[in-house]
Amino acid sequence: MTITRRTALSGLAIGLTLAGLGRPAFAAEDVTLEVLYNLPGFTKFHQPLADEFMKNNPGIKINFLAPAPGYNEGQQQVLRAAVTGNLPDVYFSGYNLTAELVHTLLPRQQITDLGPFIEAEGGKTFLDKNYSPKMAALGQIDGKQYGLPVNASSPIIYINSELVTKAGGDPDNMPKTFPGLIELAAKIHALDPKIAGMGYDINGWPDDWLWQALIFEQGGTLVDPATKTVAFDNEIGLNALKMTRQFVTEGGQTLLDWDQSRQQFGAGLTGFIFSTPAHVQTIEGLVGERFELKTATFPLDNAEKGGVPTGGNSAVILTQDKARQDAAWKYLKWVTGPEAQNTIVRITGYLPTNQLATGPDFLEPYYAEHPNVKTASLQADRSMPWAGYPGGDSVRIWRTQRDIIGTVMRGEVTPEEGLKQIVEQTNALMK
């Protein structure tokens, strides 16, 4: 064998390593994490945060897989990877799908209980310092913490201040209940038949977020945990459907998809709409200088027990390799910490999941300059988990429900008949 400088140095390195004097090429602290997140648009914050993390943790590399188009697609990708044994090390799981993920992966020992890591950080003291109880609960399944909350979004009201004021309302003090809002919408619609008083675009929304909001704000729940059947087969469910019809008949809502609805609002032809805080920058761009845009928190018809469903995702650790788990835990702490949350909120408009992020060193001055973004944070204490249905068929269940809700809004079936159809078909799909 010809001995070259390269082979000589390689032999020296091996010898030193075996003697305990050298550093192997892949030391224990050198870890590459395979990370999967949903929604390609989220690259705008995931990549800079990963770059900052790697700069501060040179022994850990974050390798992002191609982002899934949405939460449902990401879920299916991970479940398929579980079968082939090719799971990512870290996954950003949609809140409404995390229970299904845990219940599928836990029996296969393919998901990590974060409890031991939290205990090592100080347990409840660590959690309480960083996350409110309701925010931490977004990553809890069956009483255990499987995820830390990264993105959080609850519906808010976008207000055309000019139209609300003309109708005799106060854009800085909007009605706190749906009956009050429907009454205001009717007055706005009466100003001009071409103007929609309101827009609650549940009929075209891609998931059941706005439907759950109508149930939760009344103090209701989605599924009875004891019977595993629909829990809104009662006055709460009936009232929710009656309101969707009132949005049209009294509030003058035009039945559009959510993108068309935003365009109509931006053109000054809708009094107020309900949407995600992630749309703040988009809607500000659509409105421009046409009118003064303001935002308000979601109404609660049951102020004591009501709440709002929280969309978004929590980061879960799927790797079972100890070195990768330790590295992944560092990454989870970073991406849910105040500095990272400060970045995420400024880019997306979401609620901060870490309560330290609202302080003077982070979001406090930003909120002072951007009150429309701050609104979502004002209802953080109302956050409820975005629920899923048992059986793993939540997507098909919502599409079925949405079609029925649309028939109610159009007046083709009564709310009573609509509720009967939703309950029967939802229960059948859960089986």
Side-chain angles (χ1 to χ4, degrees):
M1 181 178 76
T2 302
I3 297 183
T4 65
R5 182 174 180 272
R6 177 178 295 176
T7 56
L9 288 173
S10 297
L12 177 62
I14 293 170
L16 289 172
T17 298
L18 292 174
L21 301 174
R23 184 172 178 267
F26 298 98
E29 65 267 24
D30 287 338
V31 172
T32 296
L33 294 176
E34 302 287 333
V35 179
L36 175 65
Y37 61 89
N38 302 290
L39 303 166
F42 282 177
T43 302
K44 59 190 175 184
F45 66 81
H46 273 300
Q47 192 60 58
L49 290 178
D51 291 342
E52 184 69 16
F53 175 78
M54 289 187 287
K55 185 175 76 174
N56 296 326
N57 297 271
I60 304 172
K61 181 182 178 183
I62 303 298
N63 181 46
F64 287 123
L65 305 176
Y71 290 120
N72 296 324
E73 293 86 352
Q75 180 88 342
Q76 294 307 310
Q77 182 177 334
V78 169
L79 294 180
R80 286 195 299 269
V83 176
T84 61
N86 193 31
L87 284 165
D89 299 311
V90 174
Y91 174 56
F92 291 82
S93 171
Y95 296 131
N96 61 322
L97 300 171
T98 304
E100 178 189 2
L101 188 72
V102 171
H103 293 151
T104 303
L105 299 187
L106 190 60
R108 304 167 62 96
Q109 297 182 329
Q110 291 178 311
I111 193 165
T112 303
D113 177 3
L114 300 181
F117 294 94
I118 292 170
E119 284 303 314
E121 299 286 344
K124 189 174 184 299
T125 302
F126 167 78
L127 281 180
D128 291 347
K129 177 183 176 182
N130 289 279
Y131 319 100
S132 70
K134 288 192 174 181
M135 200 60 74
L138 298 175
Q140 293 169 3
I141 304 297
D142 301 331
K144 292 185 176 182
Q145 197 84 40
Y146 287 97
L148 291 185
V150 179
N151 298 118
S153 168
S154 56
I156 60 173
I157 310 173
Y158 290 82
I159 305 159
N160 182 322
S161 296
E162 181 181 324
L163 290 177
V164 167
T165 301
K166 280 184 179 179
D170 181 358
D172 292 316
N173 187 27
M174 292 288 282
K176 300 296 190 290
T177 64
F178 267 110
L181 286 166
I182 292 170
E183 183 180 347
L184 175 59
K187 293 177 181 177
I188 294 171
H189 184 53
L191 295 172
D192 186 333
K194 297 192 298 294
I195 295 174
M198 64 179 292
Y200 195 91
D201 304 305
I202 188 172
N203 56 291
W205 206 261
D207 50 54
D208 69 345
W209 193 52
L210 290 180
W211 171 246
Q212 291 195 29
L214 291 181
I215 301 299
F216 291 173
E217 66 91 18
Q218 299 180 72
T221 55
L222 205 64
V223 177
D224 184 328
T227 63
K228 299 293 192 293
T229 58
V230 165
F232 52 81
D233 185 12
N234 49 34
E235 283 302 312
I236 287 177
L238 180 60
N239 188 50
L241 285 176
K242 285 180 176 178
M243 288 193 296
T244 65
R245 180 59 178 154
Q246 287 178 298
F247 297 159
V248 178
T249 58
E250 298 177 32
Q253 174 172 344
T254 307
L255 295 182
L256 306 169
D257 67 35
W258 62 270
D259 189 51
Q260 293 171 326
S261 180
R262 288 189 307 181
Q263 297 287 340
Q264 179 175 277
F265 177 79
L269 296 175
T270 308
F272 54 90
I273 61 173
F274 296 76
S275 192
T276 166
H279 289 168
V280 169
Q281 294 177 358
T282 300
I283 293 176
E284 284 178 343
L286 291 171
V287 170
E289 301 297 322
R290 201 168 284 113
F291 57 84
E292 184 181 9
L293 172 69
K294 295 194 173 183
T295 58
T297 56
F298 198 82
L300 293 184
D301 289 338
N302 186 329
E304 183 182 348
K305 297 181 179 179
V308 286
T310 308
N313 59 79
S314 60
V316 299
I317 299 176
L318 303 183
T319 179
Q320 299 306 299
D321 176 84
K322 183 64 169 62
R324 284 189 170 85
Q325 285 181 338
D326 291 342
W329 174 247
K330 289 182 179 180
Y331 178 56
L332 262 62
K333 284 193 299 177
W334 159 250
V335 81
T336 65
E339 186 175 342
Q341 286 298 307
N342 178 45
T343 298
I344 291 172
V345 171
R346 288 171 186 259
I347 291 175
T348 65
Y350 281 156
L351 288 76
T353 59
N354 191 301
Q355 54 197 4
L356 298 177
T358 59
D361 293 334
F362 301 109
L363 288 168
E364 188 176 295
Y366 179 75
Y367 280 156
E369 296 176 12
H370 300 85
N372 285 335
V373 179
K374 182 180 180 180
T375 296
S377 69
L378 301 178
Q379 57 189 28
D381 61 342
R382 306 177 187 176
S383 293
M384 297 178 66
W386 183 13
Y389 290 91
D393 217 358
S394 295
V395 176
R396 188 150 65 113
I397 286 172
W398 167 240
R399 289 171 181 165
T400 301
Q401 293 173 340
R402 182 176 59 189
D403 289 345
I404 297 169
I405 292 169
T407 64
V408 172
M409 297 181 81
R410 292 190 296 270
E412 295 169 4
V413 303
T414 65
E416 289 80 4
E417 176 60 26
L419 180 63
K420 180 182 176 183
Q421 291 180 19
I422 286 178
V423 170
E424 288 178 352
Q425 296 194 38
T426 302
N427 283 336
L429 286 168
M430 278 195 285
K431 291 178 182 177

